[in-house]
Amino acid sequence: MSEDSVVVVCGGGGFIGGHLVADLRRQGFKKIRSVDIKPVSDWYQTFPDVENLQLNLQEKEACEKALAGATVVYNLAADMGGMGFIESNRALCMLSVLINTHLLMAAKHHGVSRFFYASSACVYAADKQRDPNITGLKESHAYPAMPEDGYGWEKLFSERMCRHFREDFGLATRVARYHNVYGPNGTWFGGREKAPAAICRKVLEAKFSGKHEIEIWGDGTQTRSFMYIDDCLKGTQMMLHSEVVEPLNLGSDEQVSINQLVDLVESIAGLKLKRAYKLDAPKGVNGRNSDNELIKKYFGWAPAIKLREGLEKTYAWIHDEMKAGRYKE
């Protein structure tokens, strides 16, 4: 892919999309088109030398406009958030199927050379995630299908769409299953934030208020792995340019419980909090971790940035946002 290639980032106003646009600029790409449904003033990162378009990619005409002349497409666009959002908005999450469907149709129409789809660990079968001490989810664990209701079903269906556009129409599609991406310049307030940002915000609220208490969703024993944004960007672009056509895990295999996640953020903040467990809150599956055997086999690489390192940067950024009063809905 040359520097003159037209690279389109769908969902470019969001967390991962904004970082991807920034990284493409750093690499010297001159023709970057960033597309998002939000007004440009609400995007997490914007750049004056990037073509920024506000479009609703659920609409076919918008996808045609977004992909006109495109060489490469990254589809990161979806209506989504953390567990509190996706468990309460299943229909909205399912409607993201329109985005990927219309983008694939437009990519075929415009002769796009490479198409990346951001899938999710939520595609994995629920019965593989009942134990907090899960060893890791292999790519094969997506079938027989029993994904996260709503959001996970949409992701799994859209993976299949990518596969069949590749097999039937020759569109070079690549798919990564993201595992809990986090970092600065993302959602940390308002209901769509994920666990790392939410815990950082709650610890900072306790620190600033002097009320040293924190509410934790569930009993805190549920386990996850969290991937720092820099690893996500590297893996995403590596997969796009590869000849690996099957969906691959893209996630850290450093598994922690939510209680351990709170321990880490408390350590960074230099305080200990009294914990209140909200047992009726959305908490997702009991255990989820990334098995990185396949990505290591294909690339000799896997996400490796330690959770502590990434959380320190995320905490510092949210600290500055809160001090400046920039609450993002």
Side-chain angles (χ1 to χ4, degrees):
M1 187 167 67
S2 74
E3 291 181 358
D4 291 328
S5 300
V6 177
V7 185
V8 181
V9 179
C10 300
F15 163 49
I16 301 174
H19 279 283
L20 178 58
V21 170
D23 194 56
L24 291 166
R25 287 178 73 254
R26 280 193 293 269
Q27 294 176 52
F29 288 97
K30 306 298 184 189
K31 298 178 180 178
I32 303 169
R33 184 179 301 150
S34 185
V35 187
D36 206 282
I37 192 172
K38 297 186 292 292
V40 176
S41 59
D42 291 343
W43 293 15
Y44 284 109
Q45 298 187 66
T46 55
F47 306 93
D49 55 347
V50 170
E51 182 185 2
N52 298 317
L53 300 179
Q54 183 190 356
L55 294 170
N56 181 358
L57 295 174
Q58 290 189 7
E59 299 171 356
K60 184 175 184 293
E61 296 76 13
C63 292
E64 289 288 337
K65 182 176 180 180
L67 269 53
T71 309
V72 166
V73 176
Y74 291 92
N75 178 17
L76 310 174
D79 200 351
M80 59 85 70
M83 287 309 305
F85 179 81
I86 66 175
E87 285 197 5
S88 305
N89 295 276
R90 293 190 173 103
L92 286 179
C93 291
M94 291 292 284
L95 284 172
S96 294
V97 74
L98 296 171
I99 299 173
N100 196 57
T101 301
H102 289 143
L103 282 174
L104 284 169
M105 293 167 68
K108 174 177 174 285
H109 177 240
H110 289 294
V112 165
S113 66
R114 294 264 164 162
F115 184 101
F116 175 85
Y117 177 65
S119 186
S120 166
C122 288
V123 302
Y124 286 115
D127 64 356
K128 300 287 187 184
Q129 303 173 78
R130 300 191 191 283
D131 185 352
N133 299 311
I134 186 170
T135 55
L137 292 159
K138 295 181 180 291
E139 284 78 359
S140 59
H141 289 161
Y143 297 95
M146 197 196 310
E148 183 84 39
D149 199 7
Y151 180 73
W153 276 109
E154 187 278 322
K155 287 295 187 185
L156 194 61
F157 177 82
S158 291
E159 282 189 10
R160 302 297 287 195
M161 286 285 285
C162 289
R163 172 180 172 175
H164 296 308
F165 265 71
R166 175 175 55 80
E167 292 175 343
D168 293 1
F169 304 128
L171 177 62
T173 57
R174 302 292 184 264
V175 176
R177 292 173 179 162
Y178 288 168
H179 288 247
N180 295 310
V181 189
Y182 74 101
N185 293 104
T187 306
W188 56 275
F189 177 83
R192 290 177 183 253
E193 67 275 18
K194 294 188 176 182
I199 298 300
C200 286
R201 187 199 75 242
K202 288 179 178 182
V203 169
L204 280 160
E205 286 171 344
K207 187 169 188 172
F208 291 154
S209 70
K211 187 179 179 183
H212 287 187
E213 298 177 4
I214 187 170
E215 181 183 82
I216 297 171
W217 287 9
D219 61 10
T221 62
Q222 63 271 33
T223 57
R224 296 290 186 275
S225 65
F226 300 97
M227 171 173 56
Y228 191 64
I229 182 64
D230 291 0
D231 275 339
C232 178
L233 297 176
K234 181 174 181 176
T236 292
Q237 294 171 80
M238 193 180 286
M239 288 185 191
L240 173 92
H241 295 297
S242 78
E243 296 310 309
V244 180
V245 298
E246 62 192 286
L248 291 181
N249 280 332
L250 186 54
S252 167
D253 59 5
E254 183 185 352
Q255 184 174 348
V256 294
S257 69
I258 298 303
N259 281 325
Q260 290 171 323
L261 178 64
V262 176
D263 290 341
L264 273 171
V265 180
E266 286 179 337
S267 173
I268 292 166
L271 79 170
K272 291 294 289 182
L273 305 177
K274 180 182 177 182
R275 302 182 183 188
Y277 294 94
K278 187 173 172 58
L279 300 180
D280 61 348
K283 70 180 188 72
V285 295
N286 290 328
R288 178 178 291 158
N289 192 19
S290 181
D291 182 298
N292 288 340
E293 184 180 338
L294 263 188
I295 193 171
K296 287 177 180 176
K297 172 187 168 185
Y298 285 124
F299 300 112
W301 175 89
I305 295 171
K306 290 297 183 183
L307 183 56
R308 170 86 191 204
E309 179 186 344
L311 280 175
E312 287 176 348
K313 295 175 182 177
T314 307
Y315 177 91
W317 179 79
I318 293 175
H319 173 278
D320 292 347
E321 290 288 291
M322 291 180 73
K323 276 292 195 183
R326 287 191 289 268
Y327 274 56
K328 295 238 182 209
E329 293 291 349

